[in-house]
Amino acid sequence: MRAPLDHDDLERFKGILGASLGLSFDDSKTQELADALSARVRATRSSGASSYLTHLESREKSKEELRALASLLSVGETSFFRYPAHFRALAEVALPARMKAREEDRALRVLSAGCASGEEAYSIAILLSEQIGDADPWRVTIEAIDFNPDAIRRARDGRYASWSLRETPPEILGRCFAPSGGSFLLEPRIREMVSFEERNLLDDGPAFWRPESFDIILCRNVIIYFSPEAIQTVISRLSRSLAIGGYLFMGHSETLRGLSNDFHLVHTHDAFYYQKRQATAVVGIPAADSVLTRASFPRPASPEPDVEDWPGGGPVAPVGGAANAGGHRAKEIPVSPAPSPDLSRATEMFRQERYGEALDLLRATPAETGADPDALLLVAASLAGGGELEESERICRQVLALDEMDAGAHYLLALCREQAGDMAGARHHSGAAAYLDPTFAMPHLQLGRLARRAGQVEAARRELGRALHLLAREDASRILLFGGGFRRAALAQACQSELRACGGPP
């Protein structure tokens, strides 16, 4: 039986992987990390973990060993056209917009960052071949990078099992793949559209990362494995290399909130993604019905009908002093490092549902509330609590003008939209709040209510189940600001009641 690895060796190993590959491992990955370290100690015939780590710390000597670790530790689960909503948005929004922007030179450059075994990059190539066709003289460059050398080798081979093609439309499967010995071989014309390169996102390369040179970047389910420092480095690099008006697609659980102010959040086709800001105006997004595409992807469901109010007003309906829900950042409120006495008093008045008094006090401190999004959200929540929904919306939009990725403003705006009868707007803003802050419970509660009343039982159960799970861990200050005067237990009971109406827990 092998002797257990020393804790200090494991921590040292974590540090090296973070500095060299950007990878971050929490305590749940301790055994996986220990197994990897033991395996590489044996494979390299090192005298022990300490000797192996010393070798690994030598940049000149460790390049090949880091490549081996990248192959061992990276997660490569993917498939063609994974997250179809992203590819619908690519086909109908991002590509037409960038083709219009590049009409003069007719050249497009697309990056698949963290491409794994190539399914994502080849999906882009198929989409472009369907969208542009062979006769249109566009110069298209699709570059795909990953730090896993084994994955890059598999990608270049272009051979895939049926599992990798599980989300591929049948007509595309027939046009672009040939059966070959129990697997499927991608047509050469598609393979030739993509260039693969072994590259670490943390490694600078001026020739590759040219400023504003990419039109579209997909970096999906990559930064979730990175350390905070590595994430900041990668996002800064991607931002610099993306053209003004270019598009960035990330994984469903990844957001730019708190990482970059260089982007607008875009929501179409039931998908969230980002567009790099212009200095003057937002690049126009073509309406979905004005863009023709030959790609055959499943269409999103029709919008749900309007829904009725939650019986009895409900814990998150923003009327009659019963609602103040916005989707705030996970900070204490007031959020200032040293809250002023007036802001602290206003927060206490809000807690007591003395909304008019809270507003009077907040309006008397314009220097504090005029530029602080957190104080402005307290103003908006107080207005909603007092039934002044239009004014609350105005303040929410003021907050979003300061920071359009403020989850709190999106959620409070969602509740105001619901009360105004705009269910599509409510779903949009509540969905944005849930996306921007995955730990925030109340948006999922609203989305679950809306889905149930629209007859979408499975979606309702999923959202309500998520809300119930998150409520147990929800920040107390956020429940105060956005719980509509209800405590954690009451919100959980409301969630359970909605779940029972859907036929039980998901």
PDB file of all heavy atoms in Angstrom, residues 143-170:
ATOM      1  N   GLU A 143      -9.614  29.331 -35.468  1.00  0.00           N
ATOM      2  CA  GLU A 143      -8.457  28.853 -34.704  1.00  0.00           C
ATOM      3  C   GLU A 143      -8.952  28.232 -33.407  1.00  0.00           C
ATOM      4  O   GLU A 143      -9.831  28.778 -32.736  1.00  0.00           O
ATOM      5  CB  GLU A 143      -7.495  30.012 -34.445  1.00  0.00           C
ATOM      6  CG  GLU A 143      -7.015  30.633 -35.756  1.00  0.00           C
ATOM      7  CD  GLU A 143      -5.988  31.734 -35.544  1.00  0.00           C
ATOM      8  OE1 GLU A 143      -4.962  31.470 -34.897  1.00  0.00           O
ATOM      9  OE2 GLU A 143      -6.232  32.855 -36.025  1.00  0.00           O
ATOM     10  N   ALA A 144      -8.379  27.089 -33.073  1.00  0.00           N
ATOM     11  CA  ALA A 144      -8.800  26.344 -31.895  1.00  0.00           C
ATOM     12  C   ALA A 144      -7.568  26.011 -31.067  1.00  0.00           C
ATOM     13  O   ALA A 144      -6.577  25.505 -31.594  1.00  0.00           O
ATOM     14  CB  ALA A 144      -9.529  25.070 -32.305  1.00  0.00           C
ATOM     15  N   ILE A 145      -7.652  26.314 -29.767  1.00  0.00           N
ATOM     16  CA  ILE A 145      -6.496  26.094 -28.893  1.00  0.00           C
ATOM     17  C   ILE A 145      -6.901  25.341 -27.634  1.00  0.00           C
ATOM     18  O   ILE A 145      -8.024  25.453 -27.151  1.00  0.00           O
ATOM     19  CB  ILE A 145      -5.818  27.434 -28.506  1.00  0.00           C
ATOM     20  CG1 ILE A 145      -6.795  28.337 -27.754  1.00  0.00           C
ATOM     21  CG2 ILE A 145      -5.283  28.143 -29.748  1.00  0.00           C
ATOM     22  CD1 ILE A 145      -6.152  29.607 -27.203  1.00  0.00           C
ATOM     23  N   ASP A 146      -5.971  24.569 -27.113  1.00  0.00           N
ATOM     24  CA  ASP A 146      -6.159  23.858 -25.851  1.00  0.00           C
ATOM     25  C   ASP A 146      -4.782  23.496 -25.320  1.00  0.00           C
ATOM     26  O   ASP A 146      -3.844  23.299 -26.103  1.00  0.00           O
ATOM     27  CB  ASP A 146      -7.003  22.597 -26.057  1.00  0.00           C
ATOM     28  CG  ASP A 146      -7.613  22.094 -24.756  1.00  0.00           C
ATOM     29  OD1 ASP A 146      -6.895  21.493 -23.930  1.00  0.00           O
ATOM     30  OD2 ASP A 146      -8.818  22.325 -24.545  1.00  0.00           O
ATOM     31  N   PHE A 147      -4.670  23.399 -23.992  1.00  0.00           N
ATOM     32  CA  PHE A 147      -3.346  23.050 -23.443  1.00  0.00           C
ATOM     33  C   PHE A 147      -3.152  21.545 -23.317  1.00  0.00           C
ATOM     34  O   PHE A 147      -2.106  21.088 -22.871  1.00  0.00           O
ATOM     35  CB  PHE A 147      -3.077  23.766 -22.120  1.00  0.00           C
ATOM     36  CG  PHE A 147      -3.955  23.369 -20.947  1.00  0.00           C
ATOM     37  CD1 PHE A 147      -4.802  22.282 -20.979  1.00  0.00           C
ATOM     38  CD2 PHE A 147      -3.916  24.110 -19.772  1.00  0.00           C
ATOM     39  CE1 PHE A 147      -5.578  21.920 -19.889  1.00  0.00           C
ATOM     40  CE2 PHE A 147      -4.695  23.776 -18.677  1.00  0.00           C
ATOM     41  CZ  PHE A 147      -5.524  22.670 -18.742  1.00  0.00           C
ATOM     42  N   ASN A 148      -4.145  20.751 -23.714  1.00  0.00           N
ATOM     43  CA  ASN A 148      -4.063  19.298 -23.620  1.00  0.00           C
ATOM     44  C   ASN A 148      -3.589  18.729 -24.953  1.00  0.00           C
ATOM     45  O   ASN A 148      -4.334  18.713 -25.935  1.00  0.00           O
ATOM     46  CB  ASN A 148      -5.437  18.736 -23.262  1.00  0.00           C
ATOM     47  CG  ASN A 148      -5.427  17.237 -23.059  1.00  0.00           C
ATOM     48  OD1 ASN A 148      -4.584  16.517 -23.583  1.00  0.00           O
ATOM     49  ND2 ASN A 148      -6.383  16.746 -22.300  1.00  0.00           N
ATOM     50  N   PRO A 149      -2.348  18.233 -25.022  1.00  0.00           N
ATOM     51  CA  PRO A 149      -1.821  17.755 -26.313  1.00  0.00           C
ATOM     52  C   PRO A 149      -2.575  16.548 -26.852  1.00  0.00           C
ATOM     53  O   PRO A 149      -2.732  16.408 -28.065  1.00  0.00           O
ATOM     54  CB  PRO A 149      -0.361  17.409 -25.995  1.00  0.00           C
ATOM     55  CG  PRO A 149      -0.308  17.229 -24.514  1.00  0.00           C
ATOM     56  CD  PRO A 149      -1.344  18.133 -23.949  1.00  0.00           C
ATOM     57  N   ASP A 150      -3.056  15.665 -25.980  1.00  0.00           N
ATOM     58  CA  ASP A 150      -3.824  14.506 -26.444  1.00  0.00           C
ATOM     59  C   ASP A 150      -5.131  14.949 -27.090  1.00  0.00           C
ATOM     60  O   ASP A 150      -5.559  14.381 -28.101  1.00  0.00           O
ATOM     61  CB  ASP A 150      -4.107  13.553 -25.283  1.00  0.00           C
ATOM     62  CG  ASP A 150      -2.853  12.852 -24.779  1.00  0.00           C
ATOM     63  OD1 ASP A 150      -1.876  12.771 -25.558  1.00  0.00           O
ATOM     64  OD2 ASP A 150      -2.842  12.402 -23.620  1.00  0.00           O
ATOM     65  N   ALA A 151      -5.780  15.942 -26.494  1.00  0.00           N
ATOM     66  CA  ALA A 151      -7.033  16.446 -27.063  1.00  0.00           C
ATOM     67  C   ALA A 151      -6.797  17.064 -28.432  1.00  0.00           C
ATOM     68  O   ALA A 151      -7.603  16.873 -29.357  1.00  0.00           O
ATOM     69  CB  ALA A 151      -7.653  17.471 -26.115  1.00  0.00           C
ATOM     70  N   ILE A 152      -5.719  17.792 -28.596  1.00  0.00           N
ATOM     71  CA  ILE A 152      -5.409  18.411 -29.882  1.00  0.00           C
ATOM     72  C   ILE A 152      -5.155  17.337 -30.945  1.00  0.00           C
ATOM     73  O   ILE A 152      -5.611  17.462 -32.092  1.00  0.00           O
ATOM     74  CB  ILE A 152      -4.192  19.352 -29.759  1.00  0.00           C
ATOM     75  CG1 ILE A 152      -4.541  20.573 -28.896  1.00  0.00           C
ATOM     76  CG2 ILE A 152      -3.690  19.775 -31.133  1.00  0.00           C
ATOM     77  CD1 ILE A 152      -5.582  21.481 -29.507  1.00  0.00           C
ATOM     78  N   ARG A 153      -4.483  16.271 -30.570  1.00  0.00           N
ATOM     79  CA  ARG A 153      -4.249  15.183 -31.530  1.00  0.00           C
ATOM     80  C   ARG A 153      -5.573  14.554 -31.972  1.00  0.00           C
ATOM     81  O   ARG A 153      -5.772  14.269 -33.157  1.00  0.00           O
ATOM     82  CB  ARG A 153      -3.334  14.116 -30.903  1.00  0.00           C
ATOM     83  CG  ARG A 153      -1.860  14.501 -30.907  1.00  0.00           C
ATOM     84  CD  ARG A 153      -0.978  13.319 -30.572  1.00  0.00           C
ATOM     85  NE  ARG A 153      -1.141  12.899 -29.180  1.00  0.00           N
ATOM     86  CZ  ARG A 153      -0.415  13.362 -28.174  1.00  0.00           C
ATOM     87  NH1 ARG A 153       0.504  14.284 -28.394  1.00  0.00           N
ATOM     88  NH2 ARG A 153      -0.612  12.925 -26.942  1.00  0.00           N
ATOM     89  N   ARG A 154      -6.485  14.326 -31.040  1.00  0.00           N
ATOM     90  CA  ARG A 154      -7.780  13.744 -31.391  1.00  0.00           C
ATOM     91  C   ARG A 154      -8.575  14.700 -32.273  1.00  0.00           C
ATOM     92  O   ARG A 154      -9.269  14.285 -33.196  1.00  0.00           O
ATOM     93  CB  ARG A 154      -8.577  13.412 -30.122  1.00  0.00           C
ATOM     94  CG  ARG A 154      -7.964  12.310 -29.283  1.00  0.00           C
ATOM     95  CD  ARG A 154      -8.960  11.763 -28.264  1.00  0.00           C
ATOM     96  NE  ARG A 154      -9.461  12.790 -27.358  1.00  0.00           N
ATOM     97  CZ  ARG A 154      -8.870  13.151 -26.226  1.00  0.00           C
ATOM     98  NH1 ARG A 154      -7.727  12.559 -25.860  1.00  0.00           N
ATOM     99  NH2 ARG A 154      -9.393  14.081 -25.445  1.00  0.00           N
ATOM    100  N   ALA A 155      -8.476  15.996 -31.968  1.00  0.00           N
ATOM    101  CA  ALA A 155      -9.209  16.983 -32.765  1.00  0.00           C
ATOM    102  C   ALA A 155      -8.731  16.980 -34.216  1.00  0.00           C
ATOM    103  O   ALA A 155      -9.544  17.019 -35.153  1.00  0.00           O
ATOM    104  CB  ALA A 155      -9.038  18.368 -32.147  1.00  0.00           C
ATOM    105  N   ARG A 156      -7.449  16.945 -34.421  1.00  0.00           N
ATOM    106  CA  ARG A 156      -6.919  16.952 -35.784  1.00  0.00           C
ATOM    107  C   ARG A 156      -7.328  15.707 -36.564  1.00  0.00           C
ATOM    108  O   ARG A 156      -7.463  15.751 -37.790  1.00  0.00           O
ATOM    109  CB  ARG A 156      -5.395  17.079 -35.735  1.00  0.00           C
ATOM    110  CG  ARG A 156      -4.924  18.482 -35.342  1.00  0.00           C
ATOM    111  CD  ARG A 156      -3.435  18.528 -35.132  1.00  0.00           C
ATOM    112  NE  ARG A 156      -2.984  19.886 -34.835  1.00  0.00           N
ATOM    113  CZ  ARG A 156      -1.870  20.168 -34.159  1.00  0.00           C
ATOM    114  NH1 ARG A 156      -1.091  19.179 -33.708  1.00  0.00           N
ATOM    115  NH2 ARG A 156      -1.536  21.429 -33.925  1.00  0.00           N
ATOM    116  N   ASP A 157      -7.536  14.612 -35.863  1.00  0.00           N
ATOM    117  CA  ASP A 157      -7.928  13.362 -36.513  1.00  0.00           C
ATOM    118  C   ASP A 157      -9.339  13.465 -37.092  1.00  0.00           C
ATOM    119  O   ASP A 157      -9.646  12.880 -38.131  1.00  0.00           O
ATOM    120  CB  ASP A 157      -7.854  12.214 -35.499  1.00  0.00           C
ATOM    121  CG  ASP A 157      -8.039  10.870 -36.155  1.00  0.00           C
ATOM    122  OD1 ASP A 157      -7.432  10.630 -37.219  1.00  0.00           O
ATOM    123  OD2 ASP A 157      -8.810  10.049 -35.620  1.00  0.00           O
ATOM    124  N   GLY A 158     -10.235  14.199 -36.404  1.00  0.00           N
ATOM    125  CA  GLY A 158     -11.580  14.429 -36.920  1.00  0.00           C
ATOM    126  C   GLY A 158     -12.482  13.212 -36.917  1.00  0.00           C
ATOM    127  O   GLY A 158     -13.449  13.151 -37.684  1.00  0.00           O
ATOM    128  N   ARG A 159     -12.226  12.258 -36.037  1.00  0.00           N
ATOM    129  CA  ARG A 159     -13.019  11.032 -35.956  1.00  0.00           C
ATOM    130  C   ARG A 159     -13.772  11.022 -34.616  1.00  0.00           C
ATOM    131  O   ARG A 159     -13.157  11.217 -33.560  1.00  0.00           O
ATOM    132  CB  ARG A 159     -12.121   9.809 -36.065  1.00  0.00           C
ATOM    133  CG  ARG A 159     -12.857   8.477 -36.106  1.00  0.00           C
ATOM    134  CD  ARG A 159     -11.862   7.323 -36.172  1.00  0.00           C
ATOM    135  NE  ARG A 159     -11.065   7.389 -37.384  1.00  0.00           N
ATOM    136  CZ  ARG A 159     -11.436   6.871 -38.545  1.00  0.00           C
ATOM    137  NH1 ARG A 159     -12.600   6.240 -38.647  1.00  0.00           N
ATOM    138  NH2 ARG A 159     -10.656   6.963 -39.607  1.00  0.00           N
ATOM    139  N   TYR A 160     -15.087  10.761 -34.662  1.00  0.00           N
ATOM    140  CA  TYR A 160     -15.897  10.892 -33.448  1.00  0.00           C
ATOM    141  C   TYR A 160     -16.888   9.737 -33.302  1.00  0.00           C
ATOM    142  O   TYR A 160     -17.428   9.225 -34.295  1.00  0.00           O
ATOM    143  CB  TYR A 160     -16.658  12.225 -33.471  1.00  0.00           C
ATOM    144  CG  TYR A 160     -15.730  13.410 -33.446  1.00  0.00           C
ATOM    145  CD1 TYR A 160     -15.333  14.021 -34.632  1.00  0.00           C
ATOM    146  CD2 TYR A 160     -15.201  13.883 -32.254  1.00  0.00           C
ATOM    147  CE1 TYR A 160     -14.457  15.100 -34.627  1.00  0.00           C
ATOM    148  CE2 TYR A 160     -14.322  14.953 -32.228  1.00  0.00           C
ATOM    149  CZ  TYR A 160     -13.948  15.555 -33.418  1.00  0.00           C
ATOM    150  OH  TYR A 160     -13.073  16.612 -33.400  1.00  0.00           O
ATOM    151  N   ALA A 161     -17.118   9.381 -32.043  1.00  0.00           N
ATOM    152  CA  ALA A 161     -18.124   8.377 -31.725  1.00  0.00           C
ATOM    153  C   ALA A 161     -19.517   9.016 -31.787  1.00  0.00           C
ATOM    154  O   ALA A 161     -19.659  10.250 -31.748  1.00  0.00           O
ATOM    155  CB  ALA A 161     -17.876   7.802 -30.333  1.00  0.00           C
ATOM    156  N   SER A 162     -20.537   8.180 -31.849  1.00  0.00           N
ATOM    157  CA  SER A 162     -21.903   8.696 -31.960  1.00  0.00           C
ATOM    158  C   SER A 162     -22.290   9.561 -30.769  1.00  0.00           C
ATOM    159  O   SER A 162     -23.109  10.473 -30.894  1.00  0.00           O
ATOM    160  CB  SER A 162     -22.885   7.534 -32.108  1.00  0.00           C
ATOM    161  OG  SER A 162     -22.777   6.643 -31.006  1.00  0.00           O
ATOM    162  N   TRP A 163     -21.700   9.313 -29.591  1.00  0.00           N
ATOM    163  CA  TRP A 163     -22.023  10.098 -28.409  1.00  0.00           C
ATOM    164  C   TRP A 163     -21.659  11.563 -28.603  1.00  0.00           C
ATOM    165  O   TRP A 163     -22.361  12.456 -28.139  1.00  0.00           O
ATOM    166  CB  TRP A 163     -21.322   9.527 -27.183  1.00  0.00           C
ATOM    167  CG  TRP A 163     -21.609  10.263 -25.912  1.00  0.00           C
ATOM    168  CD1 TRP A 163     -20.731  10.987 -25.153  1.00  0.00           C
ATOM    169  CD2 TRP A 163     -22.868  10.349 -25.235  1.00  0.00           C
ATOM    170  NE1 TRP A 163     -21.355  11.525 -24.057  1.00  0.00           N
ATOM    171  CE2 TRP A 163     -22.676  11.146 -24.073  1.00  0.00           C
ATOM    172  CE3 TRP A 163     -24.137   9.839 -25.497  1.00  0.00           C
ATOM    173  CZ2 TRP A 163     -23.695  11.437 -23.193  1.00  0.00           C
ATOM    174  CZ3 TRP A 163     -25.167  10.131 -24.610  1.00  0.00           C
ATOM    175  CH2 TRP A 163     -24.939  10.925 -23.470  1.00  0.00           C
ATOM    176  N   SER A 164     -20.575  11.830 -29.313  1.00  0.00           N
ATOM    177  CA  SER A 164     -20.175  13.217 -29.566  1.00  0.00           C
ATOM    178  C   SER A 164     -21.128  13.918 -30.516  1.00  0.00           C
ATOM    179  O   SER A 164     -21.142  15.151 -30.596  1.00  0.00           O
ATOM    180  CB  SER A 164     -18.758  13.264 -30.157  1.00  0.00           C
ATOM    181  OG  SER A 164     -17.797  12.859 -29.206  1.00  0.00           O
ATOM    182  N   LEU A 165     -21.937  13.151 -31.229  1.00  0.00           N
ATOM    183  CA  LEU A 165     -22.832  13.711 -32.238  1.00  0.00           C
ATOM    184  C   LEU A 165     -24.285  13.694 -31.798  1.00  0.00           C
ATOM    185  O   LEU A 165     -25.189  13.879 -32.619  1.00  0.00           O
ATOM    186  CB  LEU A 165     -22.684  12.915 -33.544  1.00  0.00           C
ATOM    187  CG  LEU A 165     -21.287  13.013 -34.179  1.00  0.00           C
ATOM    188  CD1 LEU A 165     -21.048  11.860 -35.131  1.00  0.00           C
ATOM    189  CD2 LEU A 165     -21.139  14.332 -34.909  1.00  0.00           C
ATOM    190  N   ARG A 166     -24.514  13.505 -30.516  1.00  0.00           N
ATOM    191  CA  ARG A 166     -25.881  13.315 -30.020  1.00  0.00           C
ATOM    192  C   ARG A 166     -26.774  14.532 -30.199  1.00  0.00           C
ATOM    193  O   ARG A 166     -27.997  14.405 -30.221  1.00  0.00           O
ATOM    194  CB  ARG A 166     -25.856  12.896 -28.544  1.00  0.00           C
ATOM    195  CG  ARG A 166     -25.211  13.900 -27.609  1.00  0.00           C
ATOM    196  CD  ARG A 166     -24.996  13.294 -26.218  1.00  0.00           C
ATOM    197  NE  ARG A 166     -24.415  14.218 -25.267  1.00  0.00           N
ATOM    198  CZ  ARG A 166     -23.105  14.398 -25.122  1.00  0.00           C
ATOM    199  NH1 ARG A 166     -22.247  13.745 -25.911  1.00  0.00           N
ATOM    200  NH2 ARG A 166     -22.649  15.243 -24.205  1.00  0.00           N
ATOM    201  N   GLU A 167     -26.200  15.731 -30.305  1.00  0.00           N
ATOM    202  CA  GLU A 167     -27.001  16.941 -30.487  1.00  0.00           C
ATOM    203  C   GLU A 167     -26.911  17.495 -31.908  1.00  0.00           C
ATOM    204  O   GLU A 167     -27.336  18.615 -32.174  1.00  0.00           O
ATOM    205  CB  GLU A 167     -26.576  18.022 -29.484  1.00  0.00           C
ATOM    206  CG  GLU A 167     -26.820  17.637 -28.034  1.00  0.00           C
ATOM    207  CD  GLU A 167     -26.438  18.736 -27.054  1.00  0.00           C
ATOM    208  OE1 GLU A 167     -27.279  19.618 -26.818  1.00  0.00           O
ATOM    209  OE2 GLU A 167     -25.310  18.716 -26.544  1.00  0.00           O
ATOM    210  N   THR A 168     -26.378  16.697 -32.823  1.00  0.00           N
ATOM    211  CA  THR A 168     -26.201  17.150 -34.198  1.00  0.00           C
ATOM    212  C   THR A 168     -27.466  16.887 -35.010  1.00  0.00           C
ATOM    213  O   THR A 168     -27.956  15.754 -35.033  1.00  0.00           O
ATOM    214  CB  THR A 168     -25.013  16.408 -34.850  1.00  0.00           C
ATOM    215  OG1 THR A 168     -23.851  16.599 -34.044  1.00  0.00           O
ATOM    216  CG2 THR A 168     -24.751  16.931 -36.259  1.00  0.00           C
ATOM    217  N   PRO A 169     -28.019  17.907 -35.672  1.00  0.00           N
ATOM    218  CA  PRO A 169     -29.187  17.678 -36.531  1.00  0.00           C
ATOM    219  C   PRO A 169     -28.897  16.592 -37.567  1.00  0.00           C
ATOM    220  O   PRO A 169     -27.812  16.572 -38.164  1.00  0.00           O
ATOM    221  CB  PRO A 169     -29.407  19.040 -37.188  1.00  0.00           C
ATOM    222  CG  PRO A 169     -28.824  20.021 -36.219  1.00  0.00           C
ATOM    223  CD  PRO A 169     -27.638  19.335 -35.633  1.00  0.00           C
ATOM    224  N   PRO A 170     -29.846  15.686 -37.803  1.00  0.00           N
ATOM    225  CA  PRO A 170     -29.604  14.556 -38.718  1.00  0.00           C
ATOM    226  C   PRO A 170     -29.153  14.982 -40.112  1.00  0.00           C
ATOM    227  O   PRO A 170     -28.292  14.321 -40.717  1.00  0.00           O
ATOM    228  CB  PRO A 170     -30.965  13.844 -38.760  1.00  0.00           C
ATOM    229  CG  PRO A 170     -31.637  14.224 -37.486  1.00  0.00           C
ATOM    230  CD  PRO A 170     -31.177  15.613 -37.176  1.00  0.00           C
TER     231      PRO A 170
END
